[in-house]
Amino acid sequence: MATITANGWTYPRKVRDPLLAGAGLLLLLLIAAFGRHLSQPAVVLGPWMIVHLLTIIPAVPIGAAMLLRRKGDRIHRLIGRIWAALMMVAAVSSFGVHQLMGHLSPIHILSVITLLAIPRAIVDARRGRIARHRRTITIVYAALVIAGYFTLIPTRLLGGFLFG
């Protein structure tokens, strides 16, 4: 079977599976980074970074679960609202994280995309434009996973935790 069918529409595995694999590896690397951080000298995290991490870290597995589970039911809508709220808070809080580097970085483009795309996806779902909703959410989730990998660059905070 090449696709997963749910409520009359399909989700192609060629899109879903690489996203899930990337998200799973990202979670393992984040766990390793925080595990290594515990053995390193204390790093004081600012409030923006704390909020950002507290929203991003659960958004990765919640998004993965949404890719796997049935679409369109009450639980999908509830978990989707939680994920969307986490992503919106994470995107807003990312603009406060620039204090660590002294400026905004190109990765903040993904935050702008998220702030524009999440409301659009919600409107699309409510208007029954499911294919457009799915495409937008897939792009935002892919941006989340890609941004996660960029945070693991050795010169960035989480990269320093992992490789430092």
Side-chain angles (χ1 to χ4, degrees), residues 10 22 40 50 118 123:
T10 59
Q40 296 174 355
I50 292 169
I118 293 286
V123 168

Side-chain angles (χ1 to χ4, degrees), residues 20 59-71 76 79 141:
L20 291 175
V60 174
I62 290 172
M66 292 296 282
L67 286 173
L68 288 170
R69 72 171 312 284
R70 178 182 166 86
K71 311 295 188 275
H76 173 85
I79 295 172
Y141 189 69

